[in-house]
Amino acid sequence: WSLFLLASIHILGATAKILDTGFLVAVERDWIVVMSTCIPCTSSDLSGKLNQQKAWLSDTNVAMKQIDLGCQVVAPAFAGLFVALFDDGTRTDKGANLVGAAVF
């Protein structure tokens, strides 16, 4: 049973990575560019508007990258804490209590 859970975690992890990359390409990159065309511009000339859009797009990309990297750092720690809640370490067959974590 534990080997099945281990194999499932690896297969689902690989699938999640592929889907995450597809999501990043399909959605995240596109909607920020669309939002940059909707920002209010204080400049009346075309070059001023383009410069404001570029500055907003640059700032937003930096903020999105910071959020993304922060989640990539924090998520494994929360996953480790989550698994630790279900494995109390008292059983000799390690990982037996992780069935509850997989079902949850």
Side-chain angles (χ1 to χ4, degrees), residues 2 7 17 19 29 32 36 40-44 47 51 56 61 63 66-67 77 80-81 85 99:
S2 294
K17 183 67 175 170
L19 293 175
R29 300 282 184 212
I32 290 183
S36 71
C41 295
T42 58
S43 178
S44 61
S47 66
N51 286 338
W56 184 87
N61 276 335
Q66 289 173 344
I67 292 169
L81 290 173
L85 289 174
V99 173

Side-chain angles (χ1 to χ4, degrees), residues 1-103:
W1 182 247
S2 294
L3 290 176
F4 173 73
L5 289 177
L6 181 65
S8 298
I9 288 172
H10 286 351
I11 291 170
L12 292 175
T15 305
K17 183 67 175 170
I18 291 170
L19 293 175
D20 180 54
T21 303
F23 175 78
L24 179 71
V25 170
V27 176
E28 189 174 316
R29 300 282 184 212
D30 291 340
W31 69 268
I32 290 183
V33 174
V34 170
M35 284 178 50
S36 71
T37 61
C38 300
I39 61 168
C41 295
T42 58
S43 178
S44 61
D45 62 335
L46 183 60
S47 66
K49 288 181 181 180
L50 289 176
N51 286 338
Q52 283 182 340
Q53 280 182 341
K54 287 181 183 179
W56 184 87
L57 187 58
S58 175
D59 292 341
T60 306
N61 276 335
V62 168
M64 292 299 293
K65 187 55 103 173
Q66 289 173 344
I67 292 169
D68 186 41
L69 291 175
C71 290
Q72 287 181 4
V73 168
V74 173
F78 280 125
L81 290 173
F82 180 73
V83 168
L85 289 174
F86 287 96
D87 188 18
D88 59 1
T90 58
R91 296 183 60 160
T92 57
D93 52 345
K94 294 295 183 189
N97 291 339
L98 296 181
V99 173
V103 171

